[in-house]
Amino acid sequence: MKINDISITDRQQRAENLFLEGYNCCQAVVLAFEDLLPVGREELLALTSGFGGGMGRMREVCGAVSGMTILAGFISPGSDPTNKAAKTANYALVQQFAASFREQKGSIICRELLGLRAEEKSAPEPSDRNPAYYHARPCQANVGLAARIVAEYLKSLS
């Protein structure tokens, strides 16, 4: 994957705009790079659909971090179960992305990023997207950060 064709800031803005269009955090991050991926938009949307709300609104790993993890699979695939070096490289990249996000946001856990208590349960029905929803959540900035982290990494490979 090469990122020479678009700036880091543009990838960040693209992810934020996709989130504001109604895509979940994971979808917004992955779709910000869809032009670089060997998979079509509909497949990407299906693949990322369950990662919103910290995995199906369970408020676990942030969807933006899950998006970075999916992108790490395209950047540094660990798809051969017998290739330990490739799997190690993939895991190292996932950990690098997550550490960078955690360093800047304090956590990679959705509920913590949203300021929710661990015992608070979330129904599977997604929240309505309206101005109050967007105002109350850090998600737009989080997807932008995740896209920036991936874009900076890709730029460093150039």
Side-chain angles (χ1 to χ4, degrees):
M1 287 171 45
K2 297 275 189 206
I3 194 166
N4 294 335
D5 64 325
I6 191 165
S7 76
I8 292 168
T9 303
D10 288 341
R11 294 288 171 179
Q12 179 177 352
Q13 190 62 54
R14 184 182 288 185
E16 291 181 13
N17 289 341
L18 287 160
F19 178 76
L20 293 174
E21 289 175 24
Y23 293 102
N24 72 39
C25 296
C26 184
Q27 289 172 324
V29 171
V30 172
L31 288 179
F33 297 88
E34 79 174 292
D35 59 307
L36 303 178
L37 303 175
V39 180
R41 185 179 187 91
E42 289 307 311
E43 291 83 2
L44 291 172
L45 287 169
L47 173 70
T48 56
S49 63
F51 290 94
M55 300 177 72
R57 287 194 92 232
M58 292 187 295
R59 306 301 187 203
E60 297 297 336
V61 174
C62 170
V65 175
S66 294
M68 291 190 300
T69 301
I70 290 169
L71 290 168
F74 287 106
I75 297 165
S76 180
S79 50
D80 179 349
T82 64
N83 187 338
K84 189 174 181 179
K87 288 171 66 174
T88 300
N90 173 264
Y91 293 168
L93 184 57
V94 169
Q95 290 183 15
Q96 176 184 333
F97 285 167
S100 181
F101 189 93
R102 185 183 293 113
E103 180 181 304
Q104 296 179 63
K105 290 293 181 171
S107 180
I108 64 166
I109 303 300
C110 177
R111 90 174 64 75
E112 293 172 4
L113 294 166
L114 294 177
L116 303 174
R117 294 185 319 269
E119 63 275 5
E120 288 183 59
K121 301 294 182 205
S122 292
E125 183 178 347
S127 301
D128 291 332
R129 297 286 185 101
N130 55 42
Y133 171 92
Y134 291 114
H135 180 72
R137 287 175 169 69
C139 304
Q140 179 182 352
N142 292 348
V143 300
L145 173 61
R148 173 172 284 283
I149 290 167
V150 173
E152 287 173 347
Y153 177 79
L154 290 173
K155 198 71 156 180
S156 77
L157 299 177
S158 301

